[in-house]
Amino acid sequence: MAQPKLYDALVVGSGASGGWVAKILTEQGLEVLVLEAGPPRSPTHDFTEHVWPYRMRYRGFGDQKALLRDQPVQRLCYACDEYSHQFFIGDRELPYTFPQGKPFMWIRGRQVGGKTFCWARVSYRYSDFEFQAAARDGYGENWPISYKDLEPYYDKVERYIGVSGSAEGLPQFPDGNFLPPMRLSCGEVHAGKIVERHFGWRIIPDRTANLTVPHNGRPACHYCDQCQRGCYTASYFNSPSTTLPDAARTGRLTLVSDAIVSHLVMNDRGKATGVVFLDRQTRAEREAHGRVVVLAAGALESTRILLNSRSPRFPEGVGASSGALGHYLMDHFTLEDGGGVLSVLKSSRREPVGRPAGYIIPKYVNADPRFQNKSFLRGYYLAGDSHQDLYGHAVGIQGFGREFRRKVSQEIPYHFGIYAQGECLPRYDNYVKLDPAKTDAWGIPVLHINASYGENERAMARAMHTRLNEILDAIKVDELQAPSEKLSVFGKNIHECGTARMGNDPKKSVVNRFNQVHDARNVFVTDGACFVTQGCYEPTLTIMAISARATDYIAAESKKGNL
């Protein structure tokens, strides 16, 4: 009987992190097997960014009964609708539990490429305001790496994926290797002058992984502004159009889709010899073998695999010896829906701008010495967009005939929208564990998620709400829509991080500064599970940079025979 193939590395997950790991390892000469829990996606079958509503059975709104039955959680995400529900998991197959009164909204995508098909593409660097936050305010732990450690990898990732943005020279919002920015709209320019004059804060173009010029063989964005439905032209970063093809071209990549990893296989010396996975369609159990295992399945899924990898040597799971595994879960919170109409810009001319991006007001509070707030730790940013309606305003216009047409074409309103996103502190009592009484459709224990926001987040939210209202008042919007005072549901922002935190001390952390599990030197966790703090900025660019850094280390150590 033929011996099963022994790969140099097994990579679990094919999204933002897994794609980078596969690309770098194969280019360094290693044989790599990528295991992806979902199926591949075909642009001709699954992408819908150019499909008009009249071509959809439910005109884009979807079969509400089916969505409620099959995707009751996923449908709560703005991007999960009739056009793009295929990029999201079925909730009945993949349940999870949480305590009464502590709801958690877990948005997931299982396919080759993970959530990189429908991510929001915002790409921000962290700074030492994030990596060394504890040194500034005394709360929690510093990362074992600094901005200088990660800076060359931010450079590498940005040069490859293409990030449009503007250099601003703000230490709390590091500049990068940018493509030309998407320009601000007239409404954003108008609001920006007022915000800077009244508050000393800048409105700048968002930094996004959409190409504004041709880049690395991919064409520029054509501004259809339906990125969550897929992209035929690959004008924004997703791993099936970029990192995975690069890995495949080396001839050293094997990718198996529909492979749901259950747990690691560990030997009696504490090293991983492979993983057990189940075929998504047949539910047949299989085993893959590798010298190194890299978990890049998403923060909570990677942690679930570690927790489920139990043996006499690892009774609570691989990486659990410190007691930190599963703990310190974080997700950003937002106050949303603030806005109104900029009557000064009402016009009969339509502005020729339609972008897959908006604006951002970077973090100033507790980052700039001029803007300190001692009622809470850390800080927040504000963002949104300002635009004209296409024809949506016609719904509220009374009348018919020539007068109706005149109002629709000559009185085009200009909207201004704004929201705020704040940092969640890492707290031990925000945690995940295996639910002993419930399994998914493949018999794998599901997660029980116990997480809530604390007083620091609530104090920050009060300050955020005040500032949102002050800005809307200064801009003098009409038809004011007051921003929400209620914090978003934990998990809603799809930025879950932590649960396998990084650190130098094996008694306080799960992985070291190179994402190597303290308890098992040939196991690595390269996704958002390793985060020590989250900052207020989106984590994906940092996840990719960390993955690139860890993979360089894996390749070097593998060649030395140290793994």
Side-chain angles (χ1 to χ4, degrees):
M1 184 174 179
Q3 290 294 314
K5 180 167 182 176
L6 178 65
Y7 291 89
D8 294 315
L10 307 179
V11 181
V12 182
S14 62
S17 176
W20 270 99
V21 175
K23 169 181 164 63
I24 294 175
L25 289 182
T26 53
E27 290 175 345
Q28 293 276 351
L30 278 67
E31 292 277 345
V32 174
L33 172 64
V34 172
L35 297 169
E36 168 54 52
R41 296 298 181 194
S42 165
T44 56
H45 180 265
D46 295 303
F47 291 7
T48 58
E49 79 266 37
H50 296 153
V51 176
W52 289 95
Y54 60 78
R55 291 176 56 193
M56 304 297 290
R57 182 176 180 182
Y58 296 97
R59 300 299 184 261
F61 295 101
D63 182 343
Q64 294 301 308
K65 289 183 179 179
L67 285 172
L68 185 60
R69 180 185 67 244
D70 300 327
Q71 295 179 300
V73 177
Q74 306 308 303
R75 72 183 182 89
L76 299 175
C77 175
Y78 76 96
C80 183
D81 56 18
E82 187 177 1
Y83 293 97
S84 55
H85 66 92
Q86 66 273 15
F87 297 134
F88 297 83
I89 61 109
D91 290 308
R92 291 196 300 175
E93 290 183 325
L94 288 160
Y96 60 97
T97 62
F98 49 78
Q100 186 173 3
K102 289 186 176 182
F104 186 87
M105 185 173 160
W106 193 4
I107 304 299
R108 289 170 281 176
R110 281 189 169 183
Q111 59 254 320
V112 176
K115 293 194 291 291
T116 63
F117 280 126
C118 49
W119 69 307
R121 307 165 312 286
V122 288
S123 300
Y124 309 139
R125 294 187 179 204
Y126 285 12
S127 71
D128 283 334
F129 283 95
E130 286 74 46
F131 295 120
Q132 304 299 310
R136 294 176 180 274
D137 57 34
Y139 180 88
E141 301 286 333
N142 289 322
W143 291 61
I145 60 174
S146 68
Y147 177 71
K148 285 298 181 185
D149 293 317
L150 209 55
E151 185 177 20
Y153 292 96
Y154 277 131
D155 291 342
K156 180 176 184 174
V157 170
E158 288 170 341
R159 281 195 294 263
Y160 177 82
I161 70 173
V163 175
S164 61
S166 59
E168 302 292 336
L170 298 172
Q172 74 272 30
F173 198 50
D175 294 328
N177 294 280
F178 296 137
L179 304 179
M182 294 187 178
R183 69 181 181 87
L184 294 173
S185 69
C186 290
E188 290 158 359
V189 171
H190 169 75
K193 293 176 181 176
I194 297 170
V195 169
E196 187 156 9
R197 184 169 65 249
H198 281 249
F199 306 103
W201 294 4
R202 266 184 253 169
I203 284 183
I204 66 174
D206 213 349
R207 296 172 175 177
T208 176
N210 288 79
L211 306 184
T212 49
V213 294
H215 184 73
N216 287 346
R218 294 185 286 137
C221 175
H222 52 278
Y223 287 32
C224 73
D225 197 17
Q226 299 296 341
C227 305
Q228 72 274 13
R229 302 177 185 177
C231 183
Y232 280 98
T233 58
S235 298
Y236 68 74
F237 169 79
N238 62 77
S239 59
S241 297
T242 52
T243 48
L244 291 175
D246 276 3
R249 278 188 281 271
T250 67
R252 290 182 283 271
L253 172 70
T254 301
L255 191 153
V256 177
S257 57
D258 296 317
I260 301 171
V261 173
S262 168
H263 59 278
L264 308 177
V265 179
M266 307 297 294
N267 64 22
D268 55 10
R269 300 190 305 278
K271 291 185 67 175
T273 60
V275 301
V276 171
F277 67 94
L278 296 99
D279 185 285
R280 185 177 69 89
Q281 296 175 318
T282 68
R283 291 170 169 73
E285 185 177 289
R286 299 176 184 173
E287 194 168 316
H289 302 269
R291 295 184 177 88
V292 173
V293 177
V294 182
L295 297 180
L300 299 190
E301 187 61 29
S302 290
T303 296
R304 180 169 81 139
I305 292 169
L306 290 173
L307 288 167
N308 200 40
S309 301
R310 299 188 174 194
S311 65
R313 187 183 182 101
F314 301 107
E316 300 300 321
V318 172
S321 65
S322 67
L325 182 63
H327 293 268
Y328 303 104
L329 173 61
M330 298 168 281
D331 183 52
H332 294 127
F333 65 95
T334 47
L335 301 186
E336 302 169 357
D337 301 325
V341 173
L342 298 173
S343 295
V344 295
L345 295 180
K346 183 185 292 185
S347 173
S348 61
R349 295 183 59 190
R350 199 172 305 282
E351 183 181 14
V353 61
R355 311 147 301 161
Y359 68 85
I360 179 172
I361 303 174
K363 174 174 66 178
Y364 282 95
V365 173
N366 294 338
D368 186 312
R370 297 172 297 167
F371 304 104
Q372 298 299 305
N373 190 324
K374 296 186 181 300
S375 65
F376 57 86
L377 302 177
R378 315 288 163 87
Y380 60 89
Y381 77 79
L382 299 96
D385 75 348
S386 186
H387 63 276
Q388 287 171 302
D389 270 336
L390 184 57
Y391 297 112
H393 61 293
V395 174
I397 295 177
Q398 300 295 317
F400 56 91
R402 181 179 298 174
E403 180 60 16
F404 176 77
R405 290 196 300 271
R406 186 195 68 77
K407 290 179 179 178
V408 171
S409 62
Q410 300 296 314
E411 299 178 11
I412 305 169
Y414 211 113
H415 296 278
F416 179 82
I418 191 168
Y419 69 91
Q421 178 167 290
E423 176 171 356
C424 173
L425 292 180
R427 303 202 325 267
Y428 183 84
D429 53 355
N430 281 342
Y431 66 88
V432 302
K433 65 178 183 178
L434 297 181
D435 190 314
K438 199 173 187 67
T439 60
D440 65 17
W442 296 271
I444 303 171
V446 306
L447 284 182
H448 178 77
I449 304 171
N450 187 325
S452 61
Y453 294 118
E455 181 49 43
N456 195 73
E457 288 81 29
R458 288 189 286 271
M460 189 185 299
R462 289 191 288 270
M464 289 158 59
H465 188 258
T466 297
R467 182 47 52 100
L468 287 169
N469 280 301
E470 289 173 345
I471 288 174
L472 291 170
D473 184 60
I475 295 172
K476 301 189 186 313
V477 298
D478 294 330
E479 300 178 33
L480 172 67
Q481 182 171 335
S484 171
E485 296 183 57
K486 188 176 181 181
L487 282 70
S488 54
V489 175
F490 214 111
K492 178 184 181 296
N493 285 299
I494 327 176
H495 303 152
E496 59 268 17
C497 292
T499 67
R501 70 193 320 206
M502 184 188 288
N504 290 325
D505 187 348
K507 295 180 180 180
K508 294 182 178 181
S509 57
V510 178
V511 301
N512 69 12
R513 65 197 311 268
F514 292 105
N515 299 78
Q516 186 176 28
V517 174
H518 291 300
D519 297 347
R521 70 175 184 271
N522 70 335
V523 178
F524 293 78
V525 183
T526 58
D527 52 34
C530 74
F531 278 41
V532 181
T533 61
Q534 191 182 31
C536 62
Y537 297 127
E538 275 72 356
T540 306
L541 185 72
T542 300
I543 288 171
M544 289 192 274
I546 284 172
S547 297
R549 181 176 183 272
T551 308
D552 272 357
Y553 176 82
I554 294 168
E557 291 297 292
S558 294
K559 291 173 182 177
K560 295 175 185 175
N562 292 340
L563 300 178

